[in-house]
Amino acid sequence: MSSKKGAPKHQNKFAWKPNAGRKINETEVGGKFRPYSEITGVCPRCKEQIEWKRKYGKYKPLTEPAKCQKCSKRAVRQAYHNLCTACARENNVCAKCSCQVGQIVGRDLSEVEAEQKALEEAIKNARERDRRTLLRALNKEKPHGSKKLPTNDGSKVGELFPASSLEEYAEVSKDEDGDSDEDEDLIISRGEC
C-alpha cells in the first residue's frame, strides 16, 4: 500500500468498466438477453453490496442451488444468500447477513405471481383497445430492467386505467362488457347498423 494519504492527484477522465476490451456474449447470464435476477430478501445494506459486485464485475451467479444454513436444504437460489427465502421470512432476518431487520428489500416470489395473475385477469377481461394500451405500456417498461407494472399515482388514472386498482379495473371492464351487449341489441333492434 502507498504511504500517501488524501485525495488523488488527478481526477479520472472516465469511469472504470469491468471487461472493457472483452466481447460479451449476450446469451450468457448477465448479458443483454439473460439479465441477472432481481435482488430480493435482503436488507438495504446487503443489497448495495450485491449491486456493487454486479457493477464492478465481481458478481458470480450460482450455477446450482446452495445449502440453507438453517434448514440444510438445497433451497438457496440467489448468489451471496445464506438462508432460503422460507427460513429468512420465518425468522424475519436478512437472507445474506442473517441480521434482524425491519425492512426487507424486494418482493416475494408468491407476491409477484399473485400480481401477475391479477394483471393477466384484468387484461383478459378488458376491451381490445384497453388491452392493447396495457400491453404497450408493459412492453415500454420491460427494456429498462426488471418487469414492472404500470403504477397509478393519480395522474395516470383515466389515461391507462379507468380505475385506481387492477381489481376495480377488472370489475369495470366486466361491467362494460355486459353493458355493450345490451347496447348492441338496442342498435340492432332499431336497425341503426
Side-chain angles (χ1 to χ4, degrees):
M1 305 242 347
S2 70
S3 61
K4 214 173 196 185
K5 294 182 181 177
K9 191 170 184 180
H10 301 288
Q11 181 67 35
N12 292 337
K13 300 226 186 286
F14 54 88
W16 181 81
K17 292 181 183 176
N19 306 325
R22 207 173 119 223
K23 189 167 185 167
I24 298 170
N25 185 358
E26 279 114 14
T27 59
E28 289 180 359
V29 176
K32 184 177 180 182
F33 299 118
R34 290 179 59 194
Y36 291 126
S37 62
E38 188 177 346
I39 302 168
T40 58
V42 293
C43 60
R45 181 174 176 264
C46 292
K47 184 177 192 283
E48 287 177 9
Q49 291 173 355
I50 295 172
E51 285 175 344
W52 183 90
K53 286 178 184 278
R54 287 182 177 182
K55 183 177 178 183
Y56 291 104
K58 304 291 184 183
Y59 184 79
K60 293 182 181 176
L62 288 178
T63 55
E64 60 182 35
K67 248 187 194 177
C68 175
Q69 291 182 351
K70 287 272 190 209
C71 64
S72 299
K73 294 179 185 173
R74 287 203 170 269
V76 179
R77 307 232 180 256
Q78 294 188 14
Y80 304 102
H81 284 51
N82 296 322
L83 303 176
C84 62
T85 54
C87 292
R89 194 179 325 112
E90 180 182 310
N91 297 319
N92 197 22
V93 294
C94 172
K96 182 177 182 282
C97 64
S98 301
C99 294
Q100 196 79 16
V101 189
Q103 179 189 8
I104 299 289
V105 176
R107 296 183 299 173
D108 191 276
L109 186 62
S110 59
E111 292 175 12
V112 172
E113 288 176 357
E115 190 172 297
Q116 189 67 27
K117 285 181 182 178
L119 180 64
E120 288 173 4
E121 184 69 26
I123 289 173
K124 187 174 84 174
N125 293 329
R127 297 181 308 180
E128 183 66 25
R129 181 178 184 177
D130 294 335
R131 182 181 305 132
R132 289 184 185 205
T133 304
L134 284 169
L135 292 174
R136 267 196 309 275
L138 288 173
N139 289 336
K140 186 183 287 186
E141 291 182 0
K142 275 186 186 176
H144 297 299
S146 63
K147 190 174 185 181
K148 296 178 184 174
L149 298 174
T151 56
N152 296 330
D153 57 348
S155 63
K156 297 289 183 189
V157 175
E159 289 180 28
L160 291 177
F161 297 105
S164 60
S165 71
L166 288 175
E167 290 80 21
E168 290 177 22
Y169 183 74
E171 292 298 320
V172 168
S173 62
K174 284 179 186 177
D175 293 340
E176 288 177 1
D177 288 342
D179 295 341
S180 64
D181 293 339
E182 294 169 6
D183 294 339
E184 289 174 10
D185 293 340
L186 288 173
I187 292 171
I188 293 172
S189 65
R190 290 182 193 164
E192 297 177 358
C193 290

